[in-house]
Amino acid sequence: MQVSVENTSVLERRMSITVPAERIESQVNKRLQQTAQKAKIPGFRPGKVPMSVIRQRYEADARQEAVGDVIQASFYEAVVEQKLNPAGAPSVEPKVLEKGKDLEYVATFEVFPEFTVAGFEGIAVERLSADVADADLDNMLEILRKQNVRFEAADRAAQKDDQLNIDFVGKIDGEAFAGGSAKGTQLVLGSGRMIPGFEDGLVGAKAGEERVLNLTFPEDYQNLDLANKAAEFTVTVNSVSEPKLPELTEEFFAQFGIKEAGLEGFRAEVRKNMERELRQAIKSKVKNQVMDGLLASNPIEVPKALLENEVNRLRVQAVQQFGGNIKPDQLPAELFEEQAKRRVVLGLIVAEVVKQFELKPDDARVRELIQEMASAYQEPEQVVSWYYKNEQQLNEVRSVVLEEQVVDTVLQKASVTDKSVSYEEAVKPVEAPQAD
């Protein structure tokens, strides 16, 4: 077999391969012999069909199969021989396929980039530290109460935060429009569910009252047919209900799976969850800074095949998340290219760090992470056992731990500044940079 390789770009390779005709003919004959043993042809007993008849009927198909298999096998042999690492399936262009002649074809493909990860010393990381103060715990309890608010009928005018049951009809130029009317809708004043002015226009209304609201749809309204148009809404208030926060009682605690522990037990459980969230938030922010630093310090070319695969994965995830009668390939690739490129590049960089520093998942850290995740459940030991019985799930945890070890490896050489902050600041999500 003859092989020659041409570098057509940083990552693309054009490999010309010649396979001796004897190898093709050997594969064709092997297939024909296998066919002869089981072929059923009128006038002949099974296994007694002359090879000339078998060849006449089946040689074309046998040759096509043989060529396909030989191309696949010889391509693999060639990349091993040339020490190449393809990043995707090759595009194969046959050059010579004639019977009795050597098989010649050209395979074009991309390879994984070869690089050494560097620049750890230039990565700056701000590592936050915080505690869960009593005030933070009290604030969280109030949040939990508000999330479980009940509404009770109120014999008074509506106020902000009240829940109204309403009927409404919307018209533009005197004509009702699609989606502009509803009956029996529950609306909390101040929730921002409706267009600007709608909820404010119902403050002070009482049950049984009808109000007419003259409003204008925002310029950036999601339905472009309605954007910036004036509309008249006739609203009938069916009922007014005021919010009632639940008391911190055993009944309230039971909603969170905490029984017979009282207020102190409930506070302890909430504090434990807050501390877990705090650790995860701090770890995540450090990781993001490290990954941003690795990206900035190690610009590399991305194989198109890997980028396309990741874009397709993100398309599928988007459809699964948002639903709708849409197929993944109907979503524009441009929507996902930036995110896909970041994922692919980081995947290559992280894999190279693992290779350079010969990292392996630390078993103790794997168990520690599983126990941390399991602590959020009522039967943590069962969750731990489940992970260790499911190899796929266990491998996912190992991957997370290995990524954490990569972060630790970078932090040993990076410029790290420790900063004490409040709980709220520590858990607050990092805002994405605004596009210009």
Side-chain angles (χ1 to χ4, degrees):
M1 186 172 72
Q2 297 178 349
V3 180
S4 63
V5 181
E6 177 187 359
N7 295 354
T8 52
S9 72
V10 175
L11 297 180
E12 189 178 80
R13 302 292 181 267
R14 179 180 169 87
M15 187 161 64
S16 300
I17 301 173
T18 302
V19 181
E22 293 79 6
R23 180 170 175 178
I24 302 295
E25 297 308 316
S26 173
Q27 290 296 319
V28 172
N29 291 333
K30 180 180 178 181
R31 280 168 173 73
L32 291 176
Q33 288 168 2
Q34 291 172 344
T35 301
Q37 293 174 5
K38 55 186 178 181
K40 295 181 180 180
I41 297 177
F44 298 97
R45 286 182 295 165
K48 300 298 182 179
V49 183
M51 184 55 68
S52 58
V53 176
I54 294 292
R55 189 174 293 277
Q56 181 181 12
R57 289 199 174 199
Y58 300 107
E59 183 175 7
D61 290 341
R63 185 170 299 279
Q64 185 176 5
E65 290 178 8
V67 169
D69 287 352
V70 168
I71 287 177
Q72 185 176 7
S74 60
F75 173 76
Y76 175 76
E77 294 165 11
V79 295
V80 171
E81 175 190 308
Q82 298 294 319
K83 297 180 179 179
L84 298 173
N85 190 8
S91 170
V92 176
E93 180 186 357
K95 292 297 183 181
V96 178
L97 289 176
E98 294 178 43
K99 179 180 178 180
K101 291 187 177 181
D102 293 346
L103 168 67
E104 295 181 21
Y105 68 93
V106 173
T108 304
F109 56 96
E110 289 179 298
V111 295
F112 283 92
E114 295 182 2
F115 63 100
T116 300
V117 183
F120 292 1
E121 296 79 2
I123 297 175
V125 176
E126 183 179 71
R127 184 167 52 199
L128 305 181
S129 62
D131 295 311
V132 178
D134 288 342
D136 298 319
L137 180 56
D138 292 339
N139 184 52
M140 181 58 69
L141 295 183
E142 284 303 299
I143 291 174
L144 294 176
R145 291 178 70 199
K146 290 177 181 177
Q147 288 175 346
N148 290 272
V149 66
R150 301 189 310 274
F151 289 93
E152 297 180 358
D155 187 18
R156 58 166 173 75
Q159 302 173 0
K160 185 176 179 296
D161 297 328
D162 283 349
Q163 184 183 75
L164 276 57
N165 183 286
I166 60 173
D167 302 336
F168 64 90
V169 176
K171 295 182 179 181
I172 294 177
D173 296 330
E175 296 290 333
F177 58 92
S181 303
K183 284 185 175 293
T185 292
Q186 303 281 24
L187 175 65
V188 175
L189 300 187
S191 63
R193 270 184 53 202
M194 309 299 279
I195 65 173
F198 192 103
E199 293 168 30
D200 291 341
L202 296 178
V203 172
K206 292 184 177 182
E209 183 177 340
E210 180 179 283
R211 288 196 173 185
V212 177
L213 310 177
N214 290 294
L215 307 172
T216 302
F217 282 91
E219 290 185 13
D220 58 352
Y221 193 64
Q222 58 189 11
N223 185 339
L224 298 180
D225 292 334
L226 301 177
N228 209 31
K229 288 190 176 180
E232 179 185 88
F233 290 90
T234 302
V235 185
T236 300
V237 179
N238 300 320
S239 65
V240 176
S241 300
E242 61 184 349
K244 293 290 185 182
L245 293 180
E247 296 298 324
L248 295 175
T249 62
E250 296 290 345
E251 181 183 357
F252 180 74
F253 305 151
Q255 295 180 44
F256 299 88
I258 301 171
K259 301 176 180 178
E260 302 176 1
L263 178 57
E264 288 308 309
F266 183 67
R267 288 175 66 89
E269 186 66 25
V270 173
R271 183 187 290 275
K272 185 170 70 173
N273 291 335
M274 292 175 69
E275 288 172 344
R276 179 168 54 246
E277 180 188 13
L278 178 61
R279 289 192 298 271
Q280 292 171 347
I282 290 174
K283 185 188 295 186
S284 177
K285 288 181 178 179
V286 168
K287 174 187 169 183
N288 288 339
Q289 292 176 77
V290 168
M291 294 302 169
D292 288 343
L294 287 173
L295 279 172
S297 304
N298 297 274
I300 59 175
E301 289 284 333
V302 179
K304 294 185 183 68
L306 298 186
L307 184 59
E308 289 174 3
N309 288 341
E310 190 60 36
V311 165
N312 289 334
R313 263 194 292 269
L314 291 173
R315 280 170 159 167
V316 171
Q317 289 176 11
V319 170
Q320 291 173 341
Q321 181 177 355
F322 299 108
N325 297 321
I326 188 171
K327 296 180 180 179
D329 58 8
Q330 291 178 304
L331 296 173
E334 296 78 19
L335 290 176
F336 307 98
E337 281 180 352
E338 186 175 345
Q339 184 184 2
K341 184 175 181 180
R342 177 183 172 88
R343 285 192 179 191
V344 170
V345 173
L346 278 177
L348 294 172
I349 291 175
V350 167
E352 187 60 30
V353 173
V354 169
K355 178 181 174 184
Q356 281 181 218
F357 292 88
E358 299 180 348
L359 301 178
K360 294 181 179 180
D362 184 290
D363 290 339
R365 289 181 67 162
V366 170
R367 176 164 286 276
E368 182 182 343
L369 179 56
I370 290 175
Q371 290 173 336
E372 172 89 359
M373 294 186 294
S375 66
Y377 296 86
Q378 291 187 21
E379 302 289 344
E381 287 306 316
Q382 290 184 12
V383 177
V384 172
S385 176
W386 179 82
Y387 268 99
Y388 279 98
K389 290 178 181 177
N390 290 269
E391 194 66 23
Q392 182 178 348
Q393 299 297 328
L394 186 57
N395 284 334
E396 288 182 10
V397 177
R398 287 177 178 141
S399 296
V400 172
V401 167
L402 194 56
E403 205 167 76
E404 289 180 357
Q405 291 175 234
V406 168
V407 171
D408 291 344
T409 301
V410 175
L411 289 176
Q412 290 175 9
K413 297 183 179 182
S415 175
V416 181
T417 304
D418 290 305
K419 181 182 179 182
S420 295
V421 297
S422 67
Y423 168 83
E424 288 295 333
E425 184 174 347
V427 299
K428 182 173 64 175
V430 177
E431 293 184 5
Q434 296 293 318
D436 294 333

